[in-house]
Amino acid sequence: MFNFAFLKKEIKEMIKTPKLIIIGSVFVFFAIIGPLSAKYMNELIAMFATDIEISFPDPTHIQSWEQFYSNITSISMIVFLIMMTGTVVAEKNKGSIYLILTKNVTRTSLLLSKMLAGVLLFTSIFIISVLISWYYTWVLFGQVVYEGLMLSLFSVYMLGIFFSMIAIFLSVVLKSTTHAALLAFAIYAVLNILTILSSINLYNPAGAATLVLNQLKGVDVTHNLIINIIMTILISSILAVASVRIFKKQEL
Amino acid sequence: MQFAVKTNELVKDFNGLKAVNHLNLQVPFGTIYGFLGPNGSGKTTTLKMLTGMTEPTSGSIEIMGEPMIFGKQKSQEHIGFLPDVPGFYDWMSPRDFLTLCGELFHIPKQELIIRVQELLKIVGLSKSVNKKIGTFSRGMKQRLGIAQALINKPSIIFLDEPVSALDPQGRKEVMDIIFGLKGKVTVFFSTHILSDVERICDRVIIISEGVTVLEDTIENIKAMSETYKLEVEADENAINLIESLILDDKNILEIQRNHQLITLTVIDLDYARKRIYEILHTNSIMVKKIIVKEPTLEDIYMKVVNHNV
């Protein structure tokens, strides 16, 4: 039976420790800075580069979303990933896991609570970020929606869920918070380097970042995005099942 | 006799190293049971198996007559566990933590409020109820650790070296709490502080290198000792005289002199007593003290752990 008490603790912990504040402020900051930098980038460049003549087309809501996707799939995602990697390994190292698992909580229940808390956290900060970006884009450019916006947002959202599962998986299998964080970053880097190979982007969860930018440029990548989303869901599910299976048999 | 904990040929093998080697435990219900052994003898590994944190390589465990299966949570209803260094969530207050523990057992809300208050009182944390656990001393954390182990009114609690990391004051407080549990719950605790064991345990098991070397009641273990010590205190001349008279006595194994004190190690205590009284009477020696020193658990522990028994 699923134990909601532990999920409640996970959520409270995010609020009472700096976790939520750090992740939340990074996401909110970049959600605000995205539309702003899109709007004023040309003027900023012109201000510093006075000796050369630059003529860029006037920015639109497309540039605003471009900034949003670039930021949320890079710095914001890295911060989220690194912050999430401690979730199980820290409890093991601190010893609190012994106090919890000798109560009426199954290992599956404990891990599902951790996953659910991670997903809830990402979902809420993602929605808030989208809303902020939406609002500023509207205010600054007077237009927000473009062809394929919702699908693009969903694929980036699934990328976040995928990285939550990566964090949980590493947190289960590794013995130190530092190792988990370093390896998580390495995986992030490798997957992003692989996006150079555009042919495999539809199978690479991190390929979503490139695909949504193509969509913005007017290339219809709907088909590829759908395949990418399905692959991301599939890989995330495999990671989730593997984490539970390993954790259930783990020597603590 | 009903056993709170029973293991049958319990083995834990870490890549060829047998941390626990065919351990057969029988912990009678309601006892305070001391689990002794030097560092690295397999105590913590055994406790981890008994609490379902580690899977035994072979053998079986019964908790309150029910088989314990690794990965199944059934036995947790019966047990409470305090690891050697309990890890808490520093941002919580002791009340928050105990409430979480109770909720994990699905204890109804009203009952839980009362239970948490009771436990905080038992472990002496009533005054610190709203403080953050992060500000607690080790002793306070250990006391909170005992409270969380008792939240579900378990039949048995496992304590892994509950006082090793504490100062004398903290140690006394924790041992008093454990002693107060006598008769209410079976307490199984590992330690290497032998004076604590002598004071509160009914039975002990001593393991070394994963193997049982001794298991019995404290009284029986002490009675097992083959030697006794007789201590006589008098003025120095008298002690010199006593020493000279018993020097050649074959029944006295060892003589230790320390100014006005002489300690005799003997096999036949009655013989030694008669012999000393005779010497005192015949030579009109006035003594300050004659003490029969019982063997301490420490003497026996050192012997069995060093395979000298």
Side-chain angles (χ1 to χ4, degrees):
Chain A
M1 193 170 73
F2 187 75
N3 204 318
F4 282 96
F6 195 73
L7 177 62
K8 209 168 82 184
K9 170 254 156 190
E10 282 295 308
I11 294 169
K12 265 194 200 166
E13 188 162 62
M14 283 174 184
I15 299 164
K16 299 235 177 173
T17 58
K19 211 174 192 171
L20 182 67
I21 304 265
I22 295 173
I23 299 176
S25 19
V26 171
F27 272 75
V28 167
F29 175 77
F30 283 105
I32 296 171
I33 218 76
L36 284 175
S37 59
K39 176 82 179 170
Y40 300 109
M41 189 56 80
N42 290 353
E43 285 161 46
L44 275 172
I45 294 171
M47 216 162 78
F48 289 107
T50 45
D51 50 348
I52 41 171
E53 181 115 353
I54 302 168
S55 75
F56 283 123
D58 278 345
T60 64
H61 65 293
I62 297 296
Q63 277 72 42
S64 176
W65 283 116
E66 194 181 326
Q67 288 294 325
F68 174 80
Y69 291 134
S70 306
N71 292 335
I72 205 163
T73 57
S74 56
I75 303 174
S76 304
M77 199 66 86
I78 293 169
V79 171
F80 174 72
L81 178 61
I82 303 284
M83 294 294 287
M84 288 299 292
T85 48
T87 183
V88 181
V89 70
E91 297 234 21
K92 282 196 254 180
N93 290 344
K94 204 167 58 175
S96 48
I97 205 151
Y98 299 116
L99 304 185
I100 299 300
L101 286 177
T102 45
K103 307 290 178 290
N104 207 357
V105 189
T106 60
R107 293 187 181 202
T108 309
S109 187
L110 182 142
L111 206 58
L112 287 181
S113 300
K114 295 253 178 208
M115 287 176 186
L116 205 52
V119 168
L120 280 175
L121 174 66
F122 187 76
T123 307
S124 32
I125 51 172
F126 183 77
I127 290 173
I128 292 168
S129 297
V130 170
L131 290 178
I132 290 171
S133 195
W134 193 290
Y135 173 75
Y136 278 91
T137 305
W138 173 253
V139 169
L140 295 171
F141 303 99
Q143 201 182 348
V144 179
V145 181
Y146 68 92
E147 183 74 37
L149 171 66
M150 284 304 162
L151 192 64
S152 295
L153 286 177
F154 186 66
S155 73
V156 172
Y157 169 72
M158 280 317 300
L159 180 61
I161 303 302
F162 164 76
F163 279 120
S164 308
M165 294 307 138
I166 288 275
I168 299 264
F169 179 78
L170 294 175
S171 203
V172 166
V173 295
L174 294 176
K175 289 200 162 90
S176 97
T177 316
T178 322
H179 289 162
L182 286 175
L183 194 55
F185 183 72
I187 290 172
Y188 173 87
V190 169
L191 290 180
N192 275 280
I193 290 167
L194 286 176
T195 58
I196 297 167
L197 306 168
S198 53
S199 56
I200 60 160
N201 270 347
L202 65 167
Y203 307 116
N204 173 3
T210 313
L211 290 173
V212 295
L213 293 180
N214 289 341
Q215 180 85 22
L216 269 178
K217 286 173 194 151
V219 188
D220 184 12
V221 289
T222 312
H223 176 72
N224 286 4
L225 267 178
I226 290 172
I227 294 177
N228 178 275
I229 291 168
I230 292 170
M231 283 307 291
T232 306
I233 294 174
L234 199 68
I235 301 171
S236 305
S237 312
I238 292 169
L239 282 169
V241 172
S243 305
V244 171
R245 289 202 156 192
I246 294 169
F247 189 55
K248 272 172 86 171
K249 284 276 159 199
Q250 205 162 44
E251 308 268 329
L252 293 173
Chain B
M1 187 189 286
Q2 195 191 356
F3 295 110
V5 181
K6 198 175 162 191
T7 68
N8 185 28
E9 300 294 317
L10 196 62
V11 174
K12 183 68 196 180
D13 195 321
F14 289 115
N15 303 320
L17 180 83
K18 281 198 166 63
V20 178
N21 198 352
H22 299 277
L23 183 67
N24 292 300
L25 276 174
Q26 292 189 328
V27 181
F29 187 72
T31 49
I32 297 191
Y33 199 94
F35 188 37
L36 313 185
N39 287 334
S41 58
K43 298 193 299 289
T44 298
T45 308
T46 304
L47 279 165
K48 282 189 175 176
M49 286 193 280
L50 295 177
T51 52
M53 293 298 112
T54 292
E55 189 173 13
T57 309
S58 64
S60 62
I61 300 169
E62 273 179 30
I63 304 278
M64 298 305 293
E66 288 175 14
M68 194 185 110
I69 298 149
F70 178 75
K72 296 268 177 281
Q73 219 60 12
K74 212 175 151 202
S75 310
Q76 311 299 48
E77 300 274 352
H78 300 303
I79 68 164
F81 177 48
L82 174 63
D84 48 355
V85 183
F88 297 100
Y89 305 112
D90 288 348
W91 53 273
M92 284 188 177
S93 69
R95 178 186 277 152
D96 294 338
F97 189 75
L98 292 179
T99 306
L100 167 67
C101 294
E103 284 171 354
L104 294 176
F105 275 113
H106 308 288
I107 299 172
K109 203 175 172 186
Q110 284 309 314
E111 192 185 325
L112 184 57
I113 293 171
I114 298 164
R115 182 87 188 125
V116 168
Q117 269 172 352
E118 272 172 13
L119 286 172
L120 287 169
K121 201 174 158 201
I122 291 172
V123 300
L125 289 173
S126 298
K127 283 181 187 160
S128 313
V129 70
N130 291 319
K131 277 188 189 166
K132 293 273 174 288
I133 300 173
T135 66
F136 275 22
S137 67
R138 275 188 164 179
M140 290 164 89
K141 283 186 182 171
Q142 215 69 7
R143 283 186 275 148
L144 179 60
I146 293 178
Q148 64 80 30
L150 293 170
I151 193 83
N152 53 327
K153 298 189 176 165
S155 309
I156 171 154
I157 58 168
F158 296 99
L159 312 171
D160 190 6
E161 299 195 10
V163 293
S164 306
L166 305 183
D167 60 21
Q169 166 90 24
R171 201 181 110 197
K172 189 185 176 306
E173 286 167 356
V174 170
M175 289 316 293
D176 286 346
I177 295 167
I178 298 173
F179 191 57
L181 299 173
K182 198 168 186 150
K184 296 173 195 150
V185 50
T186 310
V187 180
F188 183 89
F189 83 107
S190 76
T191 184
H192 36 223
I193 299 172
L194 297 165
S195 54
D196 292 339
V197 173
E198 271 192 281
R199 189 161 73 89
I200 76 164
C201 285
D202 303 304
R203 287 184 83 87
V204 297
I205 183 164
I206 303 176
I207 67 165
S208 180
E209 293 167 7
V211 181
T212 310
V213 287
L214 189 61
E215 199 279 338
D216 215 326
T217 61
I218 299 271
E219 293 77 30
N220 287 350
I221 287 177
K222 283 186 175 176
M224 268 175 46
S225 179
E226 290 158 350
T227 58
Y228 295 87
K229 284 193 166 88
L230 192 66
E231 206 174 80
V232 183
E233 195 181 334
D235 65 52
E236 207 153 344
N237 291 334
I239 292 294
N240 286 339
L241 183 60
I242 296 171
E243 191 180 6
S244 66
L245 288 168
I246 57 165
L247 210 54
D248 297 326
D249 196 319
K250 289 196 174 56
N251 287 303
I252 293 163
L253 298 177
E254 196 188 347
I255 301 167
Q256 281 175 301
R257 255 311 290 277
N258 187 8
H259 303 294
Q260 301 190 339
L261 197 73
I262 189 165
T263 308
L264 315 173
T265 307
V266 299
I267 293 174
D268 187 342
L269 182 65
D270 291 343
Y271 166 82
R273 274 197 277 210
K274 271 188 214 152
R275 183 86 180 91
I276 289 293
Y277 291 142
E278 243 172 54
I279 292 171
L280 300 179
H281 181 71
T282 323
N283 301 285
S284 303
I285 299 170
M286 304 304 258
V287 292
K288 288 180 189 160
K289 258 193 242 167
I290 301 180
I291 302 167
V292 176
K293 289 190 93 177
E294 283 198 2
T296 63
L297 190 57
E298 191 171 337
D299 298 331
I300 296 157
Y301 175 86
M302 294 311 284
K303 271 190 183 175
V304 294
V305 168
N306 295 319
H307 309 289
N308 286 337
V309 80

